[in-house]
Amino acid sequence: MKEIAFADIASLVGQEVGVSDWVEISQERVNQFAEATGDHQWIHIDVERATREIGGPIAHGYLTLSLIPMLGAGILHVTGVTRGINYGCDKVRFTSMVRVGKRVRMRQKLVSVEPKAGGLQMKNECTIEIEGEERPACVAETISIIYGG
């Protein structure tokens, strides 16, 4: 994990910040996400039918997207931060399915840093890669605000 001071974060703009560890997408995780969101589409939770019709169950796209904060926490630690908030996304694309049992990781690039609301607004390009596959599962431009103190 890379570490940098709050005051120095802008020095990373335009650079790849790092790559997370691999995380397995288990059927249990997919089922828990389905319960939390109410999205019980068969392609995600009916293992037998999904195996028969599409070769196996797949993760929800929004499950993949929701991993960004967790995966990012293992990439970069900014010292001197009192709090941070997710501010949104400018662009999200789901470019490939994540089959249950596959592992994913995130490659993160810091696109911009600018003052906002008494803190620093950071825009990151987050690419969720699937182990052994060329196409990423998701590419998202995320926005967060961190506050120093």
Side-chain angles (χ1 to χ4, degrees), residues 82-95:
T82 59
R83 70 187 185 284
I85 60 168
N86 292 323
Y87 194 65
C89 296
D90 274 351
K91 184 178 180 181
V92 176
R93 295 293 181 264
F94 302 112
T95 55

Side-chain angles (χ1 to χ4, degrees), residues 117-130:
L120 294 175
Q121 178 177 292
M122 300 169 43
K123 182 185 286 189
N124 283 288
E125 180 183 88
C126 301
T127 303
I128 308 288
E129 301 174 334
I130 307 167

